[in-house]
Amino acid sequence: MQLALRIEEDRDHRELLALRTWLNRSDDLRGRAGLAPQGPLSPGDMGAGLDLINVVLSNGIALGSLVTAVATWRTRPGRPAVRVEVNGVTVTVDTDDPETLTRVTEALRGDGSTADS
């Protein structure tokens, strides 16, 4: 499963880089998620901008771990909401409420199944 993570209003990309570092260090995602920055810039732009994190998950169970890791990262003061996109479905992770995170995971799966723990 391939997903894209985005943060709005992150012009200097510090938050996205911090999120990528956080996810790379997550024990729950180790070996189950591949993370790569993506920096498609407009023609004529200079530099290596980062506007999303491309995530490839090895299985559906890892999706719940990814959503939880993003929500945990956001618990630090001042952390912005994170948009998660997969197969045309976009949801925003802006809470750490377990019930809401379960619904977010189900929406991203697109089949209504619940997350395995």
Side-chain angles (χ1 to χ4, degrees):
M1 171 182 286
Q2 187 168 352
L3 303 94
L5 306 179
R6 297 179 190 272
I7 297 176
E8 300 296 320
E9 303 300 321
D10 185 25
R11 288 184 176 29
D12 62 4
H13 312 297
R14 287 184 188 184
E15 296 295 345
L16 201 58
L17 289 170
L19 176 58
R20 181 172 173 254
T21 298
W22 177 268
L23 295 174
N24 273 326
R25 292 180 179 164
S26 170
D27 289 336
D28 290 338
L29 294 174
R30 195 172 321 271
R32 299 193 303 169
L35 304 171
Q38 299 293 316
L41 300 174
S42 300
D45 283 351
M46 296 180 67
L50 173 72
D51 65 0
L52 66 91
I53 300 170
N54 186 23
V55 181
V56 178
L57 299 176
S58 63
N59 58 54
I61 295 171
L63 179 59
S65 296
L66 175 70
V67 170
T68 300
V70 168
T72 302
W73 175 79
R74 286 200 62 263
T75 61
R76 299 172 77 187
R79 294 291 191 204
V82 177
R83 278 189 12 213
V84 183
E85 304 167 12
V86 61
N87 297 329
V89 175
T90 301
V91 297
T92 300
V93 178
D94 58 1
T95 182
D96 62 350
D97 173 64
E99 289 180 20
T100 302
L101 295 178
T102 297
R103 287 193 302 273
V104 165
T105 302
E106 290 171 355
L108 291 170
R109 280 196 179 115
D111 61 4
S113 64
T114 58
D116 296 322
S117 50

